[in-house]
């Protein structure tokens, strides 16, 4: 009669050990989830700051691009010192390079933002 009682006691200890193991696994899962959420939140906050910074630069560049057309118009056509088409074409090429440089900067910023997205 002692053996069945001992086997029940052993079974209860095994069940208690398994329950303790499940509790530890659940606690570890909750802890890792909390850590991952904290990391995701930190990345999202820094991402928004980078987006805001890029937005300010884009608005500045948008104003510059808008001004390029009017500046070119006054430099190439409203300037009495420019009297040959070759001079106008040279100015046009310079303004095109400025516009392309602005687009390249914007593309780089977009790529940086996309590569660092949370």
């Amino acid at each position: 009669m002692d053996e069945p009682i001992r086997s029940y006691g052993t079974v209860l200890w095994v069940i208690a050990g398994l329950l303790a193991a499940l509790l530890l696994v659940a606690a570890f899962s909750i802890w890792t989830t909390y850590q991952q959420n904290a990391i995701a939140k930190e990345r999202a906050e820094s991402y928004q700051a980078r987006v805001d910074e890029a937005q300010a630069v884009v608005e500045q560049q948008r104003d510059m691009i808008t001004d390029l057309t009017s500046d070119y118009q006054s430099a190439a056509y409203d300037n009495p010192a420019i009297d040959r088409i070759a001079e106008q074409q040279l100015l046009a090429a310079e303004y095109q390079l400025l516009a392309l440089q602005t687009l390249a900067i914007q593309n780089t910023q977009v790529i940086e933002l996309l590569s660092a997205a949370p």
Side-chain angles (χ1 to χ4, degrees):
M1 221 185 220
D2 266 343
E3 278 190 43
I5 292 174
R6 284 186 199 166
S7 65
Y8 288 132
T10 305
V11 169
L12 288 176
W13 279 110
V14 169
I15 291 173
L18 290 174
L19 287 175
L22 283 173
L23 182 64
L24 288 174
V25 168
F28 180 73
S29 175
I30 289 170
W31 181 75
T32 56
T33 302
Y34 175 76
Q35 292 291 343
Q36 288 174 350
N37 288 342
I39 291 169
K41 182 180 177 183
E42 183 180 319
R43 285 182 182 168
E45 288 172 355
S46 67
Y47 179 76
Q48 187 59 43
R50 289 190 309 267
V51 168
D52 293 341
E53 181 181 318
Q55 183 65 31
V57 172
V58 167
E59 289 174 7
Q60 178 187 16
Q61 290 171 351
R62 184 181 303 134
D63 293 340
M64 187 185 81
I65 290 170
T66 303
D67 293 342
L68 277 177
T69 305
S70 60
D71 290 348
Y72 171 71
Q73 177 71 25
S74 63
Y77 295 107
D78 298 336
N79 187 352
I82 304 294
D83 56 358
R84 295 181 302 167
I85 190 74
E87 293 170 335
Q88 290 176 338
Q89 288 175 335
L90 178 63
L91 285 173
E94 290 174 352
Y95 279 92
Q96 285 175 350
L97 286 175
L98 287 173
L100 288 173
Q101 182 181 18
T102 303
L103 289 174
I105 291 169
Q106 289 175 344
N107 286 340
T108 302
Q109 290 170 339
V110 168
I111 290 169
E112 287 174 356
L113 287 172
L114 290 175
S115 67

